[in-house]
């Protein structure tokens, strides 16, 4: 199994486990700074457009009038003349206020206002008006003017009240005030014309008809209740049903008890006939005394003496005490045998009197049960007759009640509407009193400029566009910028991270990172076996992978004092070799290097293990010999340099480690390399991230 990994410091980030890291704010900031040009360009476009629109926008004036709608019976001083309901703003009142708003916004009112003010005054013609009027008629111009007028009008109900705010917006302050006042006057005139429709007489005829029908139905219901003897039908039906059910239950109980009593009488008479006429006595004689335990006590003492005699010497104090007790008990038994006594006892049989009394009581109960049964039959007949009468009256009573409910609902509705219509007719000549002008248009004129909101909207749109452009660029990018991206994409833990300046000589952070990575690899074990043969592979040819393999091999040999072999298949420049001949160990021609305990592969042609024609069985034997010859073996390869040999090493080594180049290694190539390692039967324990660049300022790295 894969052992826990150690944390790294310096130029590295802490190594993670198998859990994929979550997307953090730092990742977002890094992606934003990486695509800073795209983000700025995308955000600049809406900002420029917003600034241009803000520069060309005009100041508009809004004149507002306030109208109060009195939700009442059309009187001037009270909201409820007839006093038939609560004096509050109900749902119907809110609907009435909404209807007034719709009248204000109607096309007829708008057209009349436009005609009164004038189209050219409301909407002065532009520079191209002469050309557009050539291709349109006067009716089209009026329709467009009405449409523009309706777009400039706002009529809204104030929250929680019956006050309507009517406003008109126009670049000219005087035109805005005149148009708002003309709109209110036109609306009041149109409203007076709408409510000239008397309906009170028709409604009163319907009210009288409903009242006559209701009286007839009430009389029929009363006659039916008197005939059937009903006070409350639901309660009477429940009582009758419960009475029938209760009587039926009592009849069943009486029948059961009658059968039981008959069986008891029969059995008692049978047993009584079997009893003899005379009464027998029972007598016995005994010489036993109550509480006599002498024989039992003697047996216990004898057993106790045998047990003590087996444990103590003869003549001991405990044995003498037991002997005295045994002698005393035997003397008592002997004195009792000399006395003569006996006890006589006689018992009489009481069954005869008991059975006679039981037979008498059962016969009395049997007679009472017969009388009770006859009475219950009569009660059941009466209860069933009452229930049948209720069933007969149920259907017509339901029909009459349904008819009465329908007539009552219609009567109440028509009566309410008739009273309202009568009041409306009385106030039809002064209908405008229901809507009163609370505020003139000239009293409340507001000035509005959209320059600042447009600039704010441009800034907000710039942020959105910039963020969207950065997100799109990040989603289309196939390279890796941070180790977390590679870890999330590959599903492998990051073993070490090296920045772009890690190959500079004398870099202390790089030395610490190399040491941490070496410690992590040496501390890791798979199936309780340490890692001895490591394979670093990359999807692309690059100088960073040979550098990493050489530095790690030098770390194993120079600082850990391990016999190390470096097999560099990803670099054209060989490792500096010491003077002297070479030897073949484990199928690889190795030569010593200036670093103590470090050997390097010198000649690929003399190395049978590097021949792709070598069978896998012989390759495994050579790899076993190589493990015996060296403590650590570091192999570095890339797919363009040695594809078939790389696949072989993926299967033969203890662990494979992917080398990912920041901003160079493409995600599809790295994923394909990971899948090839798995398909060849190799084990990938993680990845190293090379050439990382830091795009955020240092102060932001500490806070993000």
């Amino acid at each position: 199994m894969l052992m826990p990994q150690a944390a790294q410091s310096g130029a590295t980030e802490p190594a993670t486990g198998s859990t994929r890291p979550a997307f953090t704010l730092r990742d977002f900031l890094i992606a934003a700074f990486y695509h800073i040009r795209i983000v700025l360009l995308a955000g600049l476009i809406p900002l420029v457009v917003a600034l241009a629109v803000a520069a060309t926008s005009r100041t508009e004036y809004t004149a507002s009038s306030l109208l109060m709608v009195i939700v009442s019976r059309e009187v001037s001083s009270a909201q409820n003349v007839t006093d038939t309901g609560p004096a509050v703003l109900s749902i119907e009142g809110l609907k009435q206020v909404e209807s007034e708003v719709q009248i204000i916004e109607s096309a007829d009112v708008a057209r009349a206002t436009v005609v009164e003010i004038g189209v050219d005054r409301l909407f002065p013609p532009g520079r191209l008006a002469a050309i557009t009027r050539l291709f349109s008629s006067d009716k089209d111009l009026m329709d467009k003017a009405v449409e523009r007028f309706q777009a400039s009008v706002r009529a809204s109900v104030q929250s929680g009240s019956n006050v309507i705010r009517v406003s008109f917006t126009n670049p000219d302050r005087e035109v805005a005030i005149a148009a708002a006042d003309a709109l209110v006057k036109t609306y009041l005139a149109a409203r007076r014309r709408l409510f000239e429709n008397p309906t009170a007489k028709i409604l009163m005829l319907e009210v009288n008809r409903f009242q006559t029908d209701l009286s007839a139905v009430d009389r029929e219901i009363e006659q039916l209740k008197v005939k059937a003897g009903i006070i409350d039908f639901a309660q009477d039906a429940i009582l009758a049903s419960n009475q029938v059910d209760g009587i039926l239950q009592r009849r069943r109980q009486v029948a059961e008890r009658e059968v039981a009593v008959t069986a008891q009488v029969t059995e008692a008479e049978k047993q009584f006939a079997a009893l003899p006429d005379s009464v027998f006595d029972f007598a016995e004689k005994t010489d036993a005394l109550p509480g006599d335990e002498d024989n039992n006590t003697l047996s216990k003492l004898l057993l106790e003496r045998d047990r003590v005699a087996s444990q103590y010497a003869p003549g001991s104090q405990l044995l003498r005490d037991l002997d005295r007790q045994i002698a005393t008990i035997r003397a008592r038994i002997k004195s009792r045998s000399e006395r003569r006594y006996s006890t006589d006892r006689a018992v009489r049989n009481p069954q005869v009197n008991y059975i006679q009394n039981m037979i008498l009581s059962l016969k009395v109960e049997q007679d009472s049960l017969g009388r009770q049964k006859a009475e219950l039959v009569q009660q059941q007949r009466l209860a069933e007759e009452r229930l049948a009468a209720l069933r007969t009256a149920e259907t017509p009573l339901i029909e009459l009640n349904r008819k009465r409910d329908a007539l009552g609902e219609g009567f109440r509705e028509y009566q309410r509407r008739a009273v309202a219509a009568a009041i409306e007719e009385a106030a039809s000549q002064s209908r405008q009193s229901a809507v009163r002008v609370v505020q003139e248009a000239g009293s409340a004129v507001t000035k509005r400029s959209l320059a600042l909101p447009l600039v704010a909207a441009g800034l907000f749109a710039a942020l959105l566009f910039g963020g969207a452009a950065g997100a799109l660029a990040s989603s289309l990018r196939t390279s890796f910028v941070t180790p977390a991206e590679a870890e999330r994409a590959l599903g492998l833990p990051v073993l070490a991270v090296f920045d772009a300046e890690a190959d500079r000589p004398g870099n202390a952070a790089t030395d610490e990172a190399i040491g941490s990575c070496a410690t992590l690899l040496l501390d890791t074990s798979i199936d309780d076996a340490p890692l001895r043969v490591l394979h670093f592979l990359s999807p692309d040819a690059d100088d960073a992978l040979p550098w990493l393999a050489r530095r790690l091999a030098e770390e194993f040999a120079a600082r850990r004092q391990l016999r190390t072999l470096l097999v560099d298949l990803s670099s054209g420049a060989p490792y500096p070799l010491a003077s002297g001949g070479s030897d073949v160990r484990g199928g690889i021609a190795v030569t010593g290097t200036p670093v103590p305990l470090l050997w390097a592969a010198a000649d690929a042609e003399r190395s049978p293990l590097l021949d792709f024609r070598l069978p896998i069985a012989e390759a495994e034997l050579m790899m076993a010999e190589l493990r015996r010859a060296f403590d650590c073996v570091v192999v570095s390869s890339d797919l363009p340099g040695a594809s078939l040999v790389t696949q072989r090493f993926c299967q033969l080594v203890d662990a494979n480690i992917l080398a990912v180049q920041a901003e160079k290694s493409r995600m599809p190539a790295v994923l394909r390399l990971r899948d090839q390692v798995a398909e060849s039967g190799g084990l990938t324990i993680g990845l190293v991230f090379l050439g990382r660049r830091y795009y955020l300022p240092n102060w932001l790295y500490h806070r993000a």
Side-chain angles (χ1 to χ4, degrees):
M1 63 180 292
L2 191 64
M3 299 297 291
Q5 303 174 1
Q8 305 177 25
S9 60
T12 67
E13 293 180 351
T16 59
S18 59
T19 304
R20 298 184 181 181
F23 190 82
T24 61
L25 178 61
R26 176 181 291 183
D27 297 333
F28 173 78
L29 294 176
I30 291 175
F33 276 82
Y34 182 76
H35 301 286
I36 189 64
R37 295 181 180 178
I38 298 176
V39 172
L40 291 178
L41 181 60
L44 191 61
I45 295 174
L47 182 59
V48 171
V49 173
L51 291 176
V53 175
T56 58
S57 63
R58 295 187 300 175
T59 302
E60 294 183 345
Y61 296 90
T62 301
S64 301
S65 295
L66 293 180
L67 304 178
M68 184 176 64
V69 181
I70 301 177
V71 184
S72 64
R73 297 305 179 187
E74 299 298 341
V75 296
S76 59
S77 61
Q79 291 192 357
N80 200 346
V81 179
T82 56
D83 198 16
T84 58
V88 295
L89 190 63
S90 62
I91 300 299
E92 294 297 332
L94 295 177
K95 291 181 179 180
Q96 182 177 347
V97 176
E98 290 293 337
S99 66
E100 301 293 341
V101 173
Q102 294 174 5
I103 295 174
I104 295 172
E105 295 178 346
S106 63
D108 292 338
V109 175
R111 186 177 296 272
T113 306
V114 171
V115 171
E116 182 179 352
I117 301 298
V119 177
D120 294 336
R121 185 184 178 190
L122 281 173
F123 309 107
R127 297 177 181 179
L128 302 178
I131 299 176
T132 57
R133 288 183 178 181
L134 293 177
F135 301 96
S136 59
S137 62
D138 294 339
K139 294 182 178 179
D140 295 335
L141 293 177
M142 180 57 69
D143 293 339
K144 292 181 180 179
V146 171
E147 184 178 355
R148 293 179 62 183
F149 184 85
Q150 288 180 326
S152 301
V153 172
R154 295 291 183 271
S156 60
V157 181
Q158 300 302 303
S159 178
S161 68
N162 56 339
V163 176
I164 302 175
R165 178 181 293 275
V166 181
S167 61
F168 182 80
T169 303
N170 194 274
D172 191 343
R173 185 178 185 277
E174 299 299 330
V175 173
I177 295 174
D181 289 337
L183 177 63
V184 172
K185 294 177 182 178
T186 306
Y187 153 68
L188 293 175
R191 189 175 181 275
R192 283 192 297 268
R193 293 192 302 269
L194 289 175
F195 291 98
E196 294 177 355
N197 187 16
T199 57
K201 293 182 180 180
I202 300 175
L203 294 175
M204 286 305 299
L205 292 176
E206 293 296 324
V207 169
N208 295 331
R209 184 178 64 84
F210 274 106
Q211 187 174 8
T212 303
D213 295 341
L214 275 174
S215 300
V217 172
D218 289 338
R219 287 193 297 271
E220 293 180 5
I221 293 174
E222 186 63 26
Q223 291 175 1
L224 181 60
K225 286 185 176 181
V226 171
K227 182 179 179 181
I230 299 174
I231 299 175
D232 186 355
F233 179 81
Q235 185 175 2
D236 290 344
I238 294 174
L239 291 176
S241 178
N242 293 338
Q243 186 178 10
V244 173
D245 183 67
I247 294 173
L248 181 60
Q249 295 295 332
R250 291 178 61 191
R251 286 192 61 186
R252 291 175 180 174
Q253 295 174 1
V254 169
E256 293 175 0
R257 181 56 184 166
E258 186 177 12
V259 172
V261 170
T262 302
Q264 291 177 359
V265 170
T266 303
E267 182 63 25
E269 290 178 349
K270 181 179 178 181
Q271 292 182 5
F272 180 74
L275 291 176
D277 296 336
S278 59
V279 177
F280 293 91
D281 293 336
F282 174 81
E284 63 178 0
K285 180 180 288 186
T286 179
D287 61 350
L289 293 175
D292 188 3
E293 296 291 337
D294 292 342
N295 292 329
N296 295 335
T297 303
L298 179 61
S299 299
K300 293 179 181 178
L301 291 175
L302 291 174
L303 292 174
E304 180 68 16
R305 187 185 186 285
D306 293 340
R307 185 183 66 79
V308 172
S310 63
Q311 297 177 358
Y312 294 90
S316 63
Q317 182 64 30
L318 186 58
L319 284 175
R320 288 196 302 269
D321 293 340
L322 290 174
D323 290 337
R324 285 196 300 270
Q325 294 178 11
I326 291 172
T328 303
I329 292 298
R330 284 178 175 174
R332 291 186 59 184
I333 293 174
K334 182 178 180 181
S335 63
R336 187 186 64 186
S337 61
E338 294 176 356
R339 299 191 299 270
R340 295 290 185 268
Y341 56 86
S342 62
T343 302
D344 295 333
R345 185 176 61 179
V347 179
R348 290 186 175 277
N349 187 4
Q351 292 184 3
V352 174
N353 293 334
Y354 174 75
I355 292 177
Q356 285 178 347
N357 294 332
M358 184 178 64
I359 291 173
L360 180 61
S361 62
L362 288 175
K363 286 184 177 181
V364 172
E365 184 178 2
Q366 187 177 21
D367 181 67
S368 64
L369 287 175
R371 297 176 180 273
Q372 185 179 2
K373 185 176 181 181
E375 180 63 25
L376 288 175
V377 170
Q378 180 66 19
Q379 292 181 6
Q380 183 178 2
R381 183 181 64 80
L382 296 176
E384 289 176 351
E385 290 178 356
R386 173 62 176 170
L387 187 60
L390 291 176
R391 288 198 190 101
T392 304
E394 180 180 9
T395 301
L397 186 60
I398 291 175
E399 293 293 335
L400 291 174
N401 285 327
R402 186 183 298 120
K403 185 176 180 180
R404 186 184 186 283
D405 293 339
L407 291 174
E409 183 177 357
F411 174 75
R412 287 190 297 272
E413 178 66 20
Y414 275 98
Q415 189 178 30
R416 183 183 62 80
R417 293 175 59 187
V419 174
I423 298 176
E424 288 178 359
E425 290 180 6
S428 61
Q429 301 301 324
S430 58
R431 178 61 73 173
Q432 67 274 14
S433 61
V435 178
R436 301 180 184 180
V437 179
V438 179
Q439 175 181 288
E440 296 289 343
S443 303
V445 181
T446 58
K447 178 182 177 182
R448 183 181 63 177
S449 177
L450 296 179
L452 292 179
L454 286 174
V455 173
L459 292 175
F460 183 71
L463 293 176
L464 290 182
F465 275 69
L472 181 60
S474 298
S475 63
L476 296 178
R477 174 169 48 84
T478 59
S479 61
F480 302 103
V481 178
T482 61
E485 291 180 351
E487 190 171 2
R488 284 193 296 267
L490 301 177
L492 297 174
V494 177
L495 304 181
V497 180
F498 300 91
D499 56 20
E501 300 177 354
D503 56 350
R504 291 184 178 180
N507 194 334
T510 302
D511 295 339
E512 185 179 356
I514 291 292
S516 300
C517 183
T519 302
L520 175 64
L521 295 175
L522 292 177
D523 292 343
T524 302
S525 62
I526 299 177
D527 295 335
D528 298 332
L531 300 180
R532 301 182 60 186
V533 183
L534 304 174
H535 184 201
F536 293 86
L537 66 162
S538 173
D540 305 312
D542 196 275
D543 295 336
L545 179 60
W547 170 83
L548 174 63
R550 293 175 183 180
R551 290 295 305 272
L552 195 59
E554 292 173 357
E555 176 72 19
F556 287 147
R559 299 190 179 183
R560 308 303 172 97
Q561 301 299 315
L562 300 175
R563 293 176 300 168
T564 307
L565 173 62
L566 174 62
V567 181
D568 189 0
L569 302 178
S570 58
S571 176
Y575 192 84
L577 304 176
S579 60
S582 61
D583 189 12
V584 178
R585 295 184 181 180
I588 295 180
V590 300
T591 302
T593 64
V595 180
L597 299 179
L598 177 60
W599 287 264
D603 191 357
E605 296 180 355
R606 295 179 53 201
S607 301
L609 185 59
L610 302 180
D611 186 3
F612 62 87
R613 295 184 180 88
L614 183 68
I616 189 63
E618 297 181 10
E620 292 178 352
L621 295 177
M622 292 181 181
M623 184 59 69
E625 182 181 353
L626 201 63
R627 287 189 175 93
R628 291 192 296 270
F630 298 97
D631 296 329
C632 290
V633 179
V634 180
V635 182
S636 67
S637 64
D638 54 65
L639 290 180
S643 178
L644 297 177
V645 177
T646 298
Q647 294 181 8
R648 171 169 294 173
F649 272 112
C650 291
Q651 183 178 2
L652 295 177
V653 299
D654 295 335
N656 296 277
I657 302 172
L658 301 182
V660 179
Q661 286 287 334
E663 305 179 24
K664 294 182 180 180
S665 298
R666 297 175 61 253
M667 184 185 304
V670 180
L671 292 174
R672 177 58 182 166
L673 179 60
R674 183 197 63 180
D675 296 339
Q676 286 182 355
V677 173
E679 291 172 359
S680 62
L683 174 64
T684 305
I685 64 172
L687 61 94
V688 291
F689 198 76
L690 304 173
R692 181 185 181 181
R693 297 180 183 274
Y694 299 91
Y695 295 94
L696 297 181
N698 291 331
W699 63 270
L700 191 56
Y701 264 111
H702 293 294
R703 289 171 174 81

